[in-house]
Amino acid sequence: MTPKSPEVISQKRRHARSRAMAQVVVSTFTERLKEEAQKHGGSLSQRHIDELNIDFQAKAGLLTRVFEQAFSDAAREQEELKWHAIKRPAFDRLIVKRFEQLFIQRGVDSVPHGTISRRILPGFFLGLNMMLGPEALERYQWRCDTALERIMKGRLPVGWNLVDQDAEVHTVILDAQYAIALHFEDVQHRSDWFVQIANAHLAPISYADAPDAQWELTPRALRVMAKHLLGDLKKAVDDNVAWQHLAERHEGADRHKIALILERLD
């Protein structure tokens, strides 16, 4: 007999806990109705309450799904908290901040929304390292970490929006985006490469029925992601002053070439 995977075991345990919680709610509600009926001279007959109990028990399935969803959402939130709890270079957080609004998550309507799974992060950082090179990446990380210390002065929690507004940080992020964009001059070839890297290094699913359990990066999703990732560069290309400052840091920078790459990625 094939041993059950941890995901399957976890799913069964979560369902059992959810079912037990739902049954407790129903039973407690029923007992309360009986107590109230006794207090008021039995205006609610025991037979009627027993009939209500059958009806309530029938609704236990719905409550089970509600509780199960709550457990699933809690598990997803824990995964998100892990990302925020891990001490990562400020540059890493700030570059992901460009497209984190695309991450798949359940909305208030309990329906999954989003285009990109957080499971992409290991492959994303691997691809980033390969495109920028370890030395340049380390330099970007050091500069952003230094800026973070200067801005926050040890205060917690970190105000990432505040850090993101810093001129030095903006320069670092813009330079990184410029370097990334140059790698997409052959959009088709680089996109295929990045999709392969990302999907080959997806993080494990957080739980069996997670909304991104079957997710993989597609070329179309990559284009959406790239549009957000390179958003600062697009603004610089469209602004004469911003482009001039960037061109001063990158000898031979071709504004038309970068604009064309961004257009092809759109």
Side-chain angles (χ1 to χ4, degrees), residues 160-262:
W160 291 109
N161 289 334
L162 179 63
V163 174
D164 208 7
Q165 294 168 10
D166 182 75
E168 170 69 4
V169 167
H170 179 71
T171 295
V172 173
I173 295 298
L174 193 56
D175 286 351
Q177 290 180 14
Y178 174 77
I180 293 168
L182 288 176
H183 282 277
F184 281 87
E185 185 172 3
D186 185 340
V187 172
Q188 185 64 53
H189 174 76
R190 183 58 62 181
S191 295
D192 291 344
W193 173 85
F194 193 89
V195 166
Q196 183 177 6
I197 290 289
N199 289 334
H201 295 86
L202 290 175
I205 60 175
S206 52
Y207 49 96
D209 56 348
D212 60 350
Q214 303 300 320
W215 184 89
E216 285 192 343
L217 183 65
T218 64
R220 183 172 182 178
L222 173 59
R223 288 175 182 270
V224 175
M225 178 179 166
K227 183 176 181 179
H228 287 75
L229 175 63
L230 304 176
D232 304 274
L233 182 60
K234 177 65 167 63
K235 291 178 182 177
V237 169
D238 293 339
D239 184 279
N240 290 332
V241 175
W243 176 260
Q244 182 60 37
H245 288 162
L246 186 147
E248 289 172 357
R249 299 192 303 273
H250 300 277
E251 184 178 354
D254 187 330
R255 189 175 186 178
H256 176 71
K257 177 181 178 179
I258 295 298
L260 187 59
I261 291 172
L262 294 175

Side-chain angles (χ1 to χ4, degrees), residues 9 15 18 34-36 42 54 113 118 153 167 214 258:
I9 295 173
H15 181 81
S18 302
K34 288 182 178 180
E35 291 174 4
E36 288 298 314
I54 294 174
H113 298 275
R118 286 180 177 273
K153 296 180 173 62
Q214 303 300 320
I258 295 298

Side-chain angles (χ1 to χ4, degrees), residues 145-162:
D145 284 344
T146 301
L148 173 64
E149 292 176 8
R150 169 172 52 80
I151 297 164
M152 297 307 300
K153 296 180 173 62
R155 298 191 303 272
L156 293 173
V158 173
W160 291 109
N161 289 334
L162 179 63

